[in-house]
């Protein structure tokens, strides 16, 4: 897709320098770690760029008279029965065209109501330092409140089952927030983490009553999402007694599933990760 050359952000070192003013708000080692990780994205723009309001097709009522912008997708071919619900959480760029496309693809494949909310409350970017800042300044508690509001809205939608099964799938930033949400708010929801920072505390994972799927890249350079992190996640889930399916795919790094075109072209290992995640969710939704 061509080289990414935002002014002043052309190397991991420049990213670290860009993050230094944030040291008062976050621990410097964490900022440096995030900068090294984010440097992996330097040549990866979001595949589609659009105004947030143009991407969203629904406004979900929330507390304090707010509205959460979201993209809601229904399957193009309606299923025979009631719809389960899948939340799709974006990466640190914010809601993007590629996330919208993935949400529609997942809705079609799984026969579910798929909702991709704006977890940044009105922000989206393709500038790496801002993306890092948005991720670091968006607490789990705030995301939890917004996802709970989205699920309340989903319960009122036509065709949704009365006690609908819930899945939460997230990419990168969204993957970490997905497992954070299910371990604290919705232990009965299935979780799919695409290269997101895992929850490793056994006592937190033990609260889950639904299964977990983890998908990682073996060449991911970030310590919190690399091969070793995936292995720690797998071990913690096993110790907690949680049904799980955690895979680390060889030959790819962070954020290796970029768009639905890779699925249509049956690229490897993207098609394998797609089949793993959709089979996992279909099995859960079918009960």
């Amino acid at each position: 897709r061509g080289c990414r050359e935002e002014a002043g952000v052309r190397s991991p070192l420049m990213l670290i320098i860009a993050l230094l003013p944030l040291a008062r708000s976050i621990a410097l080692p964490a900022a440096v770690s995030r900068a090294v990780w984010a440097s992996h994205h330097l040549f990866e723009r979001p595949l589609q760029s659009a105004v947030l309001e143009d991407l969203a097709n629904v406004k979900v009522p929330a507390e304090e008279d707010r509205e959460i912008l979201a993209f809601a997708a229904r399957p193009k071919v309606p299923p025979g029965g009631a719809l389960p619900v899948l939340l799709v959480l974006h990466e640190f760029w914010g809601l993007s065209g590629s996330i919208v496309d993935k949400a529609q693809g997942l809705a079609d494949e799984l026969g579910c109501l798929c909702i991709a909310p704006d977890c940044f409350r009105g922000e989206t970017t393709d500038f790496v330092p801002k993306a890092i800042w948005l991720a670091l300044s968006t607490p789990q508690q705030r995301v939890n409140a917004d996802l709970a509001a989205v699920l309340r809205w989903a319960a009122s939608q036509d065709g949704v089952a009365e006690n609908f099964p819930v899945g939460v799938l997230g990419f990168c930033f969204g993957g970490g927030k997905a497992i954070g949400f299910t371990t604290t708010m919705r232990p009965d929801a299935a979780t799919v983490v695409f290269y997101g920072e895992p929850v490793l505390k056994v006592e937190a994972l033990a609260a889950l009553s639904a299964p977990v799927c983890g998908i990682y890249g073996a060449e991911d350079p970030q310590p919190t999402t690399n091969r070793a992190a995936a292995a720690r996640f797998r071990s913690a889930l096993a110790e907690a007694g949680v049904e799980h399916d955690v895979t680390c795919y060889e030959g790819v790094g962070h954020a290796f599933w970029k768009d639905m075109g890779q699925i249509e072209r049956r690229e490897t290992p993207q098609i394998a990760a797609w089949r793993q995640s959709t089979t996992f969710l279909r099995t859960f939704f079918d009960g």
Side-chain angles (χ1 to χ4, degrees):
R1 282 278 173 172
C3 288
R4 176 186 185 82
E5 292 196 351
E6 298 286 356
V9 186
R10 294 184 174 87
S11 71
L13 177 59
M14 292 306 294
L15 259 180
I16 293 169
I17 293 171
L19 281 170
L20 288 178
L22 306 183
R24 293 183 181 179
S25 302
I26 56 176
L28 184 57
V32 172
S33 177
R34 295 288 179 174
V36 173
W37 160 72
S39 70
H40 195 69
H41 291 282
L42 283 173
F43 299 99
E44 298 172 1
R45 285 183 182 275
L47 294 180
Q48 300 178 40
S49 179
V51 177
L52 185 58
E53 288 75 10
D54 294 335
L55 292 169
N57 60 4
V58 297
K59 294 181 179 180
V60 176
E63 75 281 357
E64 300 174 355
D65 295 323
R66 291 188 307 105
E67 291 181 320
I68 301 166
L69 293 175
F71 175 78
R74 289 176 176 268
K76 293 173 183 174
V77 178
L83 299 172
V85 173
L86 177 64
L87 302 183
V88 176
L89 310 187
H90 56 70
E91 63 274 87
F92 77 165
W93 305 114
L95 189 62
S96 67
S98 67
I99 293 295
V100 164
D101 289 346
K102 289 173 185 176
Q104 186 62 62
L106 289 163
D108 293 338
E109 178 70 19
L110 296 169
C112 65
L113 174 62
C114 194
I115 309 167
D118 162 32
C119 295
F120 289 155
R121 294 187 175 181
E123 298 276 2
T124 186
T125 187
D126 63 359
F127 185 49
V128 172
K130 182 176 180 181
I132 297 171
W133 172 246
L134 287 171
L136 291 173
S137 61
T138 302
Q140 183 71 54
Q141 185 176 8
R142 196 183 89 178
V143 174
N144 287 354
D146 286 357
L147 297 184
V150 170
L151 288 177
R152 288 193 296 271
W153 176 84
S156 67
Q157 300 307 297
D158 292 341
V160 173
E162 183 175 349
N163 295 307
F164 55 93
V166 174
V168 187
L169 179 153
F171 299 92
C172 186
F173 159 84
K177 296 306 182 188
I179 190 70
F181 177 65
T182 54
T183 51
T184 57
M185 298 280 290
R186 284 301 299 257
D188 60 334
T191 314
V192 181
V193 180
F194 270 88
Y195 29 82
E197 184 172 349
V199 170
L200 297 176
K201 291 183 178 179
V202 172
E203 58 271 26
L205 293 170
L208 295 171
S209 57
V212 173
C213 176
I215 294 173
Y216 295 88
E219 307 304 318
D220 191 332
Q222 166 69 3
T224 56
T225 54
N226 62 10
R227 184 196 295 271
R232 290 192 296 271
F233 192 24
R234 190 183 298 112
S235 296
L237 288 163
E239 186 176 347
V242 177
E243 181 183 347
H244 63 279
D245 180 12
V246 178
T247 300
C248 196
Y249 287 93
E250 298 293 335
V252 289
H254 194 77
F256 65 86
W257 178 22
K258 296 175 176 58
D259 62 76
M260 286 301 296
Q262 293 174 305
I263 308 307
E264 294 163 3
R265 294 187 297 271
R266 299 183 180 277
E267 293 183 12
T268 302
Q270 289 81 5
I271 189 65
W274 164 264
R275 289 170 177 161
Q276 178 187 351
S277 58
T278 54
T279 298
F280 169 86
L281 286 166
R282 186 179 296 106
T283 300
F284 176 74
F285 287 155
D286 289 347

